[in-house]
Amino acid sequence: MLMREEVMGAVEAILFVRAEQVGIDELVEILDIPLLELRVLMREMLSDYNQNKNRGVQILEVDGFYLMCTNPAYSDILTRMEKPGRKRLSPAALDTLAIIAYRQPVTRAEIEQVRGVKADRIINNLLEKGLILELGFKPVVGKPVTYGTSEEFLRVFGLTSLKELPAIMEET
Amino acid sequence: MLMREEVMGAVEAILFVRAEQVGIDELVEILDIPLLELRVLMREMLSDYNQNKNRGVQILEVDGFYLMCTNPAYSDILTRMEKPGRKRLSPAALDTLAIIAYRQPVTRAEIEQVRGVKADRIINNLLEKGLILELGFKPVVGKPVTYGTSEEFLRVFGLTSLKELPAIMEET
Amino acid sequence: MTIDKVMSNLAYVVDLESFHGPLDLLLYLIEENELDIYDIPIASISDQYLSYLQASGDFDLDKMGDFLIMASYLLNLKSQMLLPKRPAVEEEESELLDPRQELVQKLLDYKKYKNAAEYLQQRQSGEISRVFYRSSDLQYLPNRELAAETTMLFRAYQTLLREYNKSEGTYLLPQGDVNIADKMEEISNLLHRKPEGMVFQDLFAEVHNLREALALFLALLELLRLQRVQAIQDQAFGEIIVSLRVAI
């Protein structure tokens, strides 16, 4: 049997890990504690938790479901925080990505030929962001790595398939 | 300018939302507060936060990175809660992952030498799952790709840093 | 243990796939027989190893390849061991010349990582007390652009107005004055109950007249301004989802 403080700690841990609404029934099941007792404890816990207006995290109760989320007071700061997908790509990165998207599989040398500048740093950056992948090797001397776009690329640009890319005319 | 309490609240909110390690430099940038001041604040905050042994959530500092995670005291309860749908790794995948974790950066050939079998399929699988990453190239003939473990690896195995992996001894 | 005994343990067909590879199988045989890894009786081990391969039923070269390479290596070792020893040299040196040395090193190395794999497995299954991170599934939701532009909301509102004008025939008397602060409270309450957010139009479901609709709309704008709620549109002209501004 868990102590009062331990139950509260456990609830905190559960709500933290789950990152979604958790029903009181489920908490009863996980913690193996009577519903009525838990209800009283939760009421206390929530009032403790949300008492401090400066806390970064709060627990909401909605119709018997509990949710751990941030205090709206900090939404300004949180929007300032760069979200992974929100980051804007630099124009150079977009150029490179466009070349890769339309010409995949394409090697580093081919990209550099089109852009007229070195592309190492940008390619590594795009790889890190998961927007492009190494597809394999081109069967020529030196077996250079070939690159293509990833699933993540489709997602970020809201495409369902590469076929959705608008046709571009090969200029002469 | 944020008040002391507000800074702590904001840090709590940021660590909560990010759900991974956040560097102090990034916190400085988001909060727009001098590094030294933040350092002092963080020290206080961590000692406050982790003081109560029954808390469900703790904040750890690992090499200048901050991480919000659960108190290990509740690992029993949280394991019980884990969704059964969570796929377990096959023994062969675990073997391979262990070799990568302990020997990173490591090449495919090195892994295969230890395991005595081909590892292509398993490595691709681990890459897909995001448990390992391509780190770079080994500066030897053929420039083979080297692999290492990812943040996701730490997350899945509940490690706060690679240093937590126990030394493996040469057993007889 | 004799080969016969091993074979009798193999009444069923051996599933080679349950071994992670030839080294795993070898290690299993050594442990089963409680042998000293530094002094493996190559002859008997290679016989047992071969029996296992034979007992494994279907002969899939793809799966067996690595096991067969090990088999030929073992047989080669066996024949080396059977060769008469060269005239005695320094003891240290003769140890270095033990043809089994490479195999021993490989097995030790493999065993080390096998233990590490076991440790990882225990961590994953929570047998070792560990920390948990927040489940990150939410981070992989499609990226959504913040669309707090009021023009977009006005357009939606105009559409709503048009709907109301159609039903002008039935005119309900306003129940006293409509207060914007009340409406703000009302919206907050509605959204509290739905952390995932509500479609913009649904907020107006209970609205009875234009006056109330206007109050509700102004209340929503005020909440947006105060950053207590957010309006998100997944794509241009798509549905506008209004939700409380908390991060989960």
Side-chain angles (χ1 to χ4, degrees), chain B residues 91-92 95 115-117 121, chain C residues 6 10 12-29 48-71 74 110 114:
Chain B
D95 275 9
R115 291 196 56 230
V117 288
R121 214 174 37 77
Chain C
V6 169
L10 294 176
Y12 53 93
V13 171
V14 173
D15 179 15
L16 272 186
E17 278 180 64
S18 65
F19 293 100
H20 321 167
L23 287 169
D24 202 42
L25 174 53
L26 263 186
L27 214 53
Y28 167 78
L29 293 173
Q48 290 186 32
Y49 183 89
L50 287 175
S51 316
Y52 252 88
L53 292 203
Q54 274 154 18
S56 75
D58 69 328
F59 201 84
D60 181 350
L61 249 187
D62 238 19
K63 284 178 197 153
M64 295 274 287
D66 297 312
F67 287 90
L68 290 174
I69 292 170
M70 177 59 78
L74 285 175
Y110 176 71
K114 198 174 141 88

Side-chain angles (χ1 to χ4, degrees), chain A residues 32-45:
Chain A
D32 193 19
I33 172 180
L35 175 64
L36 288 177
E37 199 176 314
L38 184 61
R39 242 192 220 134
V40 175
L41 266 177
M42 288 303 295
R43 208 157 16 227
E44 267 180 67
M45 183 177 168

Side-chain angles (χ1 to χ4, degrees), chain A residues 2 5-7 9-10 12-14 16-18 20 26 29-31 49 52 54-57 68-70 74 77-78 80-82 134 145, chain B residues 2 5-6 9-10 12-14 16-18 26 30-32 49 52 54-57 68-70 74 77-78 80-83 134 137 145:
Chain A
L2 293 171
E5 289 270 294
E6 285 173 323
V7 173
E12 190 187 25
I14 292 165
F16 171 79
V17 166
R18 282 286 284 272
E20 63 183 4
E26 196 182 342
E29 202 175 306
I30 298 169
L31 298 169
Y49 220 88
N52 180 351
N54 285 320
R55 279 212 62 165
V57 172
M68 194 184 263
C69 59
T70 60
Y74 296 108
I77 287 166
L78 292 175
R80 229 186 285 163
M81 197 172 80
E82 62 185 35
E134 298 188 350
V145 176
Chain B
L2 294 170
E5 289 269 295
E6 287 173 322
E12 190 186 23
I14 292 166
F16 173 78
V17 166
R18 282 288 285 274
E26 199 182 337
I30 298 170
L31 298 168
D32 194 17
Y49 218 89
N52 180 350
N54 284 320
R55 278 212 62 165
V57 173
M68 194 185 263
C69 60
T70 63
Y74 296 107
I77 288 169
L78 294 173
R80 226 188 294 158
M81 182 194 80
E82 282 265 284
K83 289 173 193 141
E134 297 186 352
F137 300 93
V145 176

Side-chain angles (χ1 to χ4, degrees), chain A residues 68-72 78 83, chain B residues 13 16-17, chain C residues 134 244-248:
Chain A
M68 194 184 263
C69 59
T70 60
N71 181 343
L78 292 175
K83 299 208 174 102
Chain B
F16 173 78
V17 166
Chain C
R134 266 184 91 217
L244 277 190
R245 189 122 182 212
V246 291
I248 54 170

Side-chain angles (χ1 to χ4, degrees), chain A residues 16-19 21 58 60 62-63 67-72 75-76 78-79 85-86 88 152 155-156, chain C residues 132-135 138-146 192-196 227 244-248:
Chain A
F16 171 79
V17 166
R18 282 286 284 272
Q21 297 191 38
Q58 56 181 11
L60 297 179
V62 185
D63 299 335
L67 174 70
M68 194 184 263
C69 59
T70 60
N71 181 343
S75 53
D76 264 9
L78 292 175
T79 42
R86 274 282 164 68
R88 293 252 164 270
E152 176 71 10
R155 238 177 30 150
V156 167
Chain C
F132 285 80
Y133 288 54
R134 266 184 91 217
S135 117
L138 287 171
Q139 292 180 347
Y140 299 111
L141 282 179
N143 294 310
R144 303 196 289 187
E145 281 300 317
L146 264 184
H192 253 293
R193 244 168 283 145
K194 302 208 166 172
E196 72 279 7
Q227 302 211 327
L244 277 190
R245 189 122 182 212
V246 291
I248 54 170

Side-chain angles (χ1 to χ4, degrees), chain A residues 3 8 21 24 30 37 39 48-49 53 64 68 70 78-79 81 85 108-109 111 123 132 134-135 143 146 155 165 169:
Chain A
M3 305 287 291
M8 291 187 179
Q21 297 191 38
I24 192 153
I30 298 169
E37 199 176 314
R39 242 192 220 134
D48 275 10
Y49 220 88
K53 293 275 166 287
M68 194 184 263
T70 60
L78 292 175
T79 42
M81 197 172 80
R108 187 172 299 226
I111 296 165
I123 289 176
I132 62 170
E134 298 188 350
L135 292 182
K143 301 229 170 182
T146 58
R155 238 177 30 150
L165 284 174
M169 267 152 289

